């Protein structure tokens, strides 16, 4: 039931992002779209450290219920009162940061309750995300055109309310495991994790990978329109191929990771870099780009599963909220930086953006693995069921 509710909510997320983008682009000044993107990223980035500490000090299951209920309320407010779209997006950014950290912390609990490995639980979660990325934009485009943006947003609000009800009814709970740190400052609370060399290597190296892919994300639409000289159809096909690759990759993620989780993390990062480099070298070959998108999507999905499994298995459960906050804050910062850097290459030089992104991605994978390898070369994924 929880997985089904997460699937519906994830599809609703994608529909809401598309709906807010179209509503903002059609009804407000041009500068409102960049403001909307900033509102969707920056507030969550600022509150991430506090959200992580909150998750570890309180019952993550109850927090997920409350965050989902609040998300439903905020989206319903935006649906009825469009003038609150920007403020609502900022509040949703905060709530998404909290709910994402709570979900990260709840995955080991869900794995234990289902009697499956941690890697398989993360594979299931990635499958849901991939389904949302595949079905959400298509459904959003159709629904906005047929029933209007307000009704679409109300539908997503219902999906969050459903998620809150299902999680609450499921009885899934993740109690805080440390109560002796209440008086510590925020920095003192995070200091042991910041001194964890393995965690910092993974976070730093993969932030470079995220930065590289964000550069390519900015250039994507210009690659289609300017370099290929194509239109919305080609854009939609390539987007669907990436999402389809992610869906396939999620299905094979547990087997692909095997017992070498660190190798899976950095090798898939390298593959994503190779696919970007391939697009940069052959920017006018649609068939080559299509294959690169399928491979990149598959690698991206396996990479996401491997990263979550690595962080959850190598760090104590009592720190999972803070680990999610650190990784989320660093990667969001990398996305913002990548968007800025990508703007230097568009609209006329999208292939160079892919070349730069590809080289950075390959470097992040190879050099990140070498740094990581010094400590965790022999570490393996637990193939038994997750235990406390």
């Amino acid at each position: 039931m929880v997985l089904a509710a997460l699937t519906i909510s994830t599809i609703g997320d994608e529909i809401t992002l598309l709906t807010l983008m179209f509503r903002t682009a059609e009804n407000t000044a041009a500068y409102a779209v960049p403001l909307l993107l900033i509102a969707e990223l920056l507030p969550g980035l600022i509150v991430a450290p506090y959200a992580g500490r909150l998750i570890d000090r309180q019952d993550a299951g109850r927090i997920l219920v409350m965050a989902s209920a609040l998300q439903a309320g905020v989206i319903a407010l935006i649906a009825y009162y469009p003038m609150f779209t920007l403020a609502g997006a900022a509040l949703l950014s905060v709530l998404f940061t909290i709910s994402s950290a709570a979900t990260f912390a709840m995955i080991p609990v869900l794995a234990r309750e289902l009697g499956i490995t941690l890697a398989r639980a993360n594979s299931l979660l990635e499958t849901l995300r991939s389904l949302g990325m595949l079905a959400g934009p298509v459904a959003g485009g159709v629904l906005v055109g047929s029933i209007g943006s307000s009704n679409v947003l109300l539908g997503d609000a219902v999906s969050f309310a459903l998620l809150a009800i299902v999680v609450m009814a499921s009885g899934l709970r993740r109690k805080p495991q440390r109560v002796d740190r209440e008086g510590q400052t925020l920095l003192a609370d995070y200091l042991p994790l910041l001194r964890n060399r393995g965690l910092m290597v993974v976070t730093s190296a993969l932030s470079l990978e995220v930065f590289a892919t964000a550069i390519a994300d900015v250039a994507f639409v210009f690659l289609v329109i300017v370099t290929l000289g194509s239109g919305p159809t080609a854009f939609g096909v390539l987007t669907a191929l990436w999402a389809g690759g992610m869906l396939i990759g999620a299905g094979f993620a547990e087997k692909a990771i095997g017992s070498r989780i660190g190798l899976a993390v950095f090798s898939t990062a390298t593959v994503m870099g190779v696919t970007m480099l391939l697009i940069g070298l052959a920017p006018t070959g649609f068939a080559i780009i299509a294959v690169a998108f399928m491979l990149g999507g598959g690698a991206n999905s396996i990479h996401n599963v491997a990263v979550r499994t690595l962080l959850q298995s190598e760090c104590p459960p009592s720190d999972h909220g803070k680990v999610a906050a650190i990784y989320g804050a660093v990667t969001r910062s990398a996305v913002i930086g990548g968007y800025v850097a990508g703007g230097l290459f568009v609209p006329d030089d999208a292939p160079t953006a892919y070349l730069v992104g590809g080289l950075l991605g390959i470097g992040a994978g190879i050099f990140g693995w070498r740094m990581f390898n010094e400590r965790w070369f022999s570490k393996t994924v637990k193939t038994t069921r997750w235990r406390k």
Side-chain angles (χ1 to χ4, degrees), residues 314-382:
E314 293 295 341
C315 298
S318 55
D319 287 332
H320 280 178
K322 292 187 287 295
V323 170
I326 290 173
Y327 190 72
V330 171
T331 51
R332 281 192 179 201
S333 300
V335 168
I336 295 173
Y339 285 168
V340 174
L344 301 176
F345 301 97
V346 297
D348 299 321
D349 205 9
T352 302
Y354 274 89
L355 287 173
V356 172
L359 291 172
L360 289 176
I362 293 171
I366 293 175
F367 292 108
W369 167 244
R370 287 190 63 85
M371 290 187 293
F372 175 87
N373 191 32
E374 292 180 5
R375 181 174 179 182
W376 283 342
F377 183 85
S378 61
K379 286 288 185 180
T380 59
V381 181
K382 295 180 181 179

Side-chain angles (χ1 to χ4, degrees), residues 4-14 68 71 156 159-160 163:
L6 279 171
T7 303
I8 296 171
S9 179
T10 302
I11 294 174
D13 285 347
E14 295 294 328
S68 299
Q71 284 171 300
D156 189 30
S159 75
F160 275 108
L163 177 61

Side-chain angles (χ1 to χ4, degrees), residues 257-319:
I257 292 171
S259 61
R260 299 296 297 277
I261 183 171
L263 181 60
V265 167
F266 291 100
S267 62
T268 49
T270 304
V271 171
M272 284 191 286
V274 169
T275 59
M276 287 187 285
L277 185 62
L278 182 61
I279 293 171
L281 293 173
T284 58
F286 186 84
I288 295 176
I289 295 174
V291 171
F293 265 64
M294 280 286 291
L295 292 175
N300 191 186
S301 192
I302 297 171
H303 176 78
N304 292 340
V305 172
V307 170
R308 284 197 299 270
T309 306
L310 176 66
L311 296 178
Q312 289 162 344
S313 60
E314 293 295 341
C315 298
S318 55
D319 287 332

Side-chain angles (χ1 to χ4, degrees), residues 107-116 173 385-388:
I107 288 299
V109 178
L110 187 61
R112 185 178 66 246
E113 294 295 326
L114 293 175
I116 60 178
R173 296 292 179 265
R385 295 178 182 178
W386 178 267
R387 299 186 184 277
K388 291 183 181 178

Side-chain angles (χ1 to χ4, degrees), residues 95-139:
L95 293 172
F96 177 76
T97 297
I98 295 173
S99 62
S100 294
T103 302
F104 180 91
M106 289 296 293
I107 288 299
V109 178
L110 187 61
R112 185 178 66 246
E113 294 295 326
L114 293 175
I116 60 178
T117 65
L118 187 56
R120 178 150 182 78
N122 278 309
S123 297
L124 287 173
L125 179 62
E126 193 64 23
T127 300
L128 304 184
R129 293 184 60 208
S130 302
L131 283 171
M133 291 182 64
L134 187 60
V138 177

Side-chain angles (χ1 to χ4, degrees), residues 23-285:
R23 173 188 274 186
T24 302
E26 290 176 353
N27 300 327
T28 57
Y31 62 81
V33 172
L35 285 178
L36 177 66
L37 294 174
I38 293 172
E40 290 174 349
L41 288 173
L42 191 57
L45 175 62
I46 294 172
V47 304
Y50 301 94
R53 184 166 66 171
L54 174 68
I55 298 301
D56 288 333
R57 290 186 174 183
Q58 304 296 328
D59 184 341
R62 294 185 185 278
I63 291 176
L64 181 57
V65 170
M66 290 187 290
S68 299
L70 288 172
Q71 284 171 300
V74 172
I75 294 174
L77 177 67
I78 296 173
Y80 282 113
Y81 302 100
M83 74 279 292
F84 294 118
T85 295
L86 195 61
L91 185 54
L92 286 174
S93 175
V94 173
L95 293 172
F96 177 76
T97 297
I98 295 173
S99 62
S100 294
T103 302
F104 180 91
M106 289 296 293
I107 288 299
V109 178
L110 187 61
R112 185 178 66 246
E113 294 295 326
L114 293 175
I116 60 178
T117 65
L118 187 56
R120 178 150 182 78
N122 278 309
S123 297
L124 287 173
L125 179 62
E126 193 64 23
T127 300
L128 304 184
R129 293 184 60 208
S130 302
L131 283 171
M133 291 182 64
L134 187 60
V138 177
V142 173
L143 291 174
V144 169
S146 59
I147 64 175
S149 61
S150 295
N151 290 326
V152 171
L153 290 172
L154 286 175
D156 189 30
V158 171
S159 75
F160 275 108
L162 176 64
L163 177 61
I165 293 170
V166 169
V167 174
M168 182 169 58
S170 71
L172 287 175
R173 296 292 179 265
R174 186 226 180 220
K175 300 292 184 181
Q177 299 186 26
R178 294 181 187 176
V179 295
D180 58 342
R181 302 167 71 176
E182 293 292 334
Q184 290 191 171
T185 64
L186 187 66
L187 178 60
D189 221 8
Y190 276 87
L191 201 55
L193 292 173
L194 296 176
R195 289 173 174 169
N196 184 322
R197 180 184 175 277
L199 175 62
M200 290 299 101
V201 166
V202 171
T203 303
S204 301
L206 297 184
S207 67
L208 180 59
E209 178 70 30
V210 173
F211 176 79
T213 55
I215 292 175
D217 286 343
V218 172
F220 174 39
V221 65
F222 299 101
L223 178 77
V224 174
I225 296 173
V226 178
T227 308
L228 289 175
S230 300
T233 301
F235 184 89
V237 168
L238 290 175
T239 302
L241 287 174
W242 182 276
M246 288 194 68
L247 188 58
I248 295 171
F252 289 95
E254 186 180 14
K255 290 183 179 179
I257 292 171
S259 61
R260 299 296 297 277
I261 183 171
L263 181 60
V265 167
F266 291 100
S267 62
T268 49
T270 304
V271 171
M272 284 191 286
V274 169
T275 59
M276 287 187 285
L277 185 62
L278 182 61
I279 293 171
L281 293 173
T284 58

